C-alpha cells in the first residue's frame, strides 16, 4: 500500500495544508521552486514545492520493501511526511514559539485545522470508533459464533500465505478481492474499491511494519471484521434497518451457497478449483522452512570456518564410528556379533 506524488498533491490541497499550485504540472519539482514560491506566501503558509522537497527526503528505498517504488511512499514514510509538514507549517513559520513540546503542538494544530475537517468532509471515521460503536456488541459476536465454522472454512480455503512462526493462515489483498469476486458481492451497493477500503480498515495495527507483512495481510479475526464491515456498508447504502445480528448469518449462508456445493455426506465441495489454496500455502511454508535451514547451515559453516574448526564430514565420522558406512545388515551384525544364517540351514531346521 503506497501513495504517489499525484495522490499526495490531491491530499494536501483538498485538506487545506497548502494552496493549489498555479504553475504548469511538474514545475513544482524544479530546482529552486521552493525558494521562489516563498515570496508569494503569507504568514503561516507553505507551498507545494516545499512539500515536494520534504517528499523526496522521506522517500527511503529499502530492498526488503518490495512494493515501495522509487516515486511512492509507504505508510511509515507518509507518517514522517505529515510530521515534517507540521514542523514546516507551524514551527518554521514561527506560529509556534514555545521551546518545549513544539513538535507535539504542531501535530495537534495540523490535526485540528486540516486533518479533522478533511476526514469529516470525506466521511472517514476511525476504525476503532466504528468497532466500538457497531461491531463489538454481544449480539453481533453471538451471530458470528453461530457461523464460525463456515467462516473458518471460507478463510482457510482462500488464503495463499502461512505464517512460518505460528502456522496461522494469512489472507492477502489479492485473495480477498478474488474471494468477493467469485462470491458475486460486487454490485452498485458495494464495489471493488469498497472492498479495498474494508481490507485496509480491518487490519489491526502492527508493532513493526519494516520486518513483517502483517500490516498487509488479514488473519482470521481481521477477516471476521471485514465480513461484518461489508454487511454494515451494504445495509447502510440500502437503508436496511435490520440489525447486524440478523444480517450476518444470512450473509455467511449466501457466501457458502455461492462458493460451495453440498455433497451427499454434507461436506462442502468448492465450486471452483483454487490456484492459491491450502496446498499451495503449505508448500510455500515448507519451501520457506527449507530456505531458513539452508541459511542456518551456511551461517554455522561460516562460524566454524572463522573459529578454525572444520566441519565433521561423513568420512571423518566413519573413523570414529565405522558402522556409519555399513549397510543395515552389516551394521546389525557388527552390533549383535551374529553371522548370516545359511538358507540351507533354515530348510534343514
Amino acid at each position: 500500500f503506497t501513495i504517489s506524488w499525484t495522490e499526495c498533491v490531491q491530499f494536501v490541497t483538498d485538506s487545506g495544508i497548502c494552496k493549489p499550485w498555479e504553475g504548469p504540472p511538474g514545475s513544482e519539482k524544479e530546482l529552486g521552486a521552493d525558494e521562489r514560491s516563498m515570496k508569494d506566501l503569507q504568514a503561516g503558509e507553505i507551498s507545494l514545492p516545499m512539500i515536494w522537497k520534504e517528499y523526496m527526503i522521506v522517500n527511503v528505498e529499502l530492498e526488503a520493501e518490495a512494493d515501495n517504488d522509487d516515486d511512492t511512499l509507504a505508510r511509515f514514510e507518509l507518517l514522517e511526511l505529515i510530521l515534517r509538514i507540521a514542523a514546516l507549517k507551524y514551527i518554521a513559520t514561527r506560529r509556534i514559539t514555545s521551546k518545549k513540546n513544539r513538535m507535539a503542538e504542531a501535530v495537534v494544530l495540523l490535526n485540528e485545522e486540516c486533518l479533522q475537517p478533511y476526514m469529516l468532509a470525506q466521511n472517514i471515521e476511525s476504525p476503532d470508533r466504528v468497532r466500538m460503536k457497531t461491531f463489538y456488541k454481544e449480539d453481533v459476536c453471538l451471530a458470528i459464533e453461530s457461523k464460525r465454522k463456515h467462516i473458518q472454512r471460507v478463510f482457510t480455503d482462500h488464503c495463499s500465505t502461512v505464517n512460518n512462526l505460528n502456522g496461522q493462515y494469512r489472507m492477502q489483498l489479492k485473495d480477498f478481492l478474488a474471494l468477493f469476486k467469485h462470491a458475486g458481492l460486487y454490485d452498485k451497493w458495494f464495489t471493488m474499491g469498497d472492498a479495498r477500503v474494508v481490507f485496509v480498515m480491518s487490519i489491526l495495527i502492527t508493532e513493526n511494519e519494516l520486518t513483517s507483512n502483517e500490516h498487509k495481510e488479514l488473519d482470521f479475526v481481521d477477516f471476521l471484521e471485514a465480513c461484518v464491515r461489508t454487511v454494515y456498508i451494504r445495509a447502510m447504502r440500502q437503508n436496511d434497518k435490520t440489525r447486524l445480528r440478523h444480517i450476518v448469518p444470512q450473509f455467511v449462508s449466501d457466501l457458502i451457497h455461492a462458493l460451495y456445493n453440498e455433497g451427499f455426506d454434507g461436506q462442502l465441495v468448492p465450486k471452483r478449483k483454487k490456484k492459491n489454496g491450502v496446498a499451495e500455502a503449505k508448500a510455500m511454508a515448507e519451501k520457506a522452512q527449507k530456505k531458513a535451514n539452508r541459511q542456518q547451515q551456511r551461517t554455522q559453516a561460516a562460524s566454524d570456518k572463522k573459529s578454525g574448526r572444520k566441519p565433521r564430514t561423513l568420512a571423518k565420522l566413519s573413523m570414529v564410528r565405522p558402522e556409519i558406512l555399513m549397510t543395515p545388515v552389516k551394521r546389525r551384525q557388527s552390533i549383535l556379533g551374529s553371522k548370516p544364517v545359511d538358507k540351507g540351514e533354515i530348510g534343514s531346521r
Side-chain angles (χ1 to χ4, degrees), residues 116-126 130 197 201:
Q116 284 293 337
Y118 172 77
M119 293 177 66
L120 291 176
Q122 300 292 329
N123 294 324
I124 301 175
E125 286 188 292
S126 171
V130 178
V197 174
M201 298 291 281

Side-chain angles (χ1 to χ4, degrees), residues 9-257:
V9 170
Q10 183 178 358
F11 164 65
V12 296
T13 54
D14 291 348
S15 61
I17 294 177
C18 71
K19 294 182 179 180
W21 181 243
E22 297 179 355
S27 60
E28 73 276 2
K29 302 179 182 180
E30 296 178 357
L31 184 64
D34 56 332
E35 298 179 358
R36 294 192 299 268
S37 63
M38 293 177 63
K39 301 177 182 179
D40 302 329
L41 295 178
Q42 298 180 2
E45 292 183 348
I46 60 176
S47 63
L48 192 62
M50 298 168 66
I51 297 178
W52 164 252
K53 187 176 180 180
E54 301 297 329
Y55 181 94
M56 293 304 297
I57 293 175
V58 302
N59 190 13
V60 181
E61 301 306 324
L62 299 175
E63 295 181 358
E65 193 70 21
D67 58 355
N68 185 20
D69 300 330
D70 295 340
D71 57 347
T72 60
L73 299 183
R75 187 158 55 179
F76 69 94
E77 295 172 333
L78 177 62
L79 293 176
E80 182 181 348
L81 177 63
I82 292 176
L83 295 177
R84 287 179 174 273
I85 289 175
L88 197 65
K89 188 175 181 65
Y90 298 103
I91 298 178
T93 58
R94 297 187 178 276
R95 289 188 57 183
I96 295 179
T97 57
S98 60
K99 295 183 178 180
K100 294 183 179 179
N101 299 327
R102 294 189 301 172
M103 194 67 229
E105 293 182 17
V107 173
V108 170
L109 279 177
L110 181 67
N111 181 57
E112 293 178 351
E113 295 183 359
C114 301
L115 300 183
Q116 284 293 337
Y118 172 77
M119 293 177 66
L120 291 176
Q122 300 292 329
N123 294 324
I124 301 175
E125 286 188 292
S126 171
D128 289 332
R129 182 180 178 184
V130 178
R131 290 184 183 116
M132 299 303 295
K133 183 177 67 175
T134 308
F135 303 152
Y136 292 173
K137 302 293 183 181
E138 183 179 1
D139 55 347
V140 178
C141 293
L142 292 176
I144 294 175
E145 187 64 29
S146 64
K147 296 291 185 178
R148 180 184 178 88
K149 292 184 179 180
H150 287 165
I151 303 176
Q152 181 78 57
R153 172 66 186 275
V154 173
F155 176 76
T156 304
D157 285 353
H158 292 83
C159 286
S160 62
T161 307
V162 176
N163 190 326
N164 297 329
L165 298 178
N166 52 26
Q168 294 182 353
Y169 292 100
R170 310 283 301 183
M171 179 174 287
Q172 297 181 353
L173 177 61
K174 62 178 182 179
D175 308 325
F176 185 75
L177 297 179
L179 165 62
F180 275 32
K181 179 181 178 180
H182 300 147
L185 295 178
Y186 297 141
D187 52 21
K188 64 179 182 179
W189 308 111
F190 190 83
T191 64
M192 184 176 291
D194 296 325
R196 292 176 180 270
V197 174
V198 165
F199 182 90
V200 175
M201 298 291 281
S202 301
I203 300 176
L204 296 178
I205 298 176
T206 57
E207 295 182 357
N208 193 340
E209 297 183 359
L210 296 178
T211 59
S212 69
N213 291 325
E214 292 183 357
H215 63 288
K216 298 184 289 186
E217 299 171 346
L218 297 178
D219 61 10
F220 180 60
V221 177
D222 298 335
F223 180 71
L224 291 177
E225 180 178 335
C227 292
V228 178
R229 281 185 180 274
T230 302
V231 173
Y232 178 72
I233 291 175
R234 295 177 66 91
M236 290 289 291
R237 293 178 179 176
Q238 296 176 5
N239 293 323
D240 190 351
K241 303 300 182 180
T242 310
R243 292 185 175 274
L244 288 177
R245 65 185 182 190
H246 301 302
I247 306 178
V248 170
Q250 185 61 42
F251 171 80
V252 178
S253 299
D254 295 341
L255 198 64
I256 294 296
H257 179 73

Side-chain angles (χ1 to χ4, degrees), residues 289-303:
Q289 184 63 36
K290 291 181 180 179
K291 184 178 179 180
N293 293 339
R294 289 194 299 268
Q295 180 65 27
Q296 185 178 2
Q297 293 175 0
R298 287 194 293 267
T299 304
Q300 183 64 33
S303 177

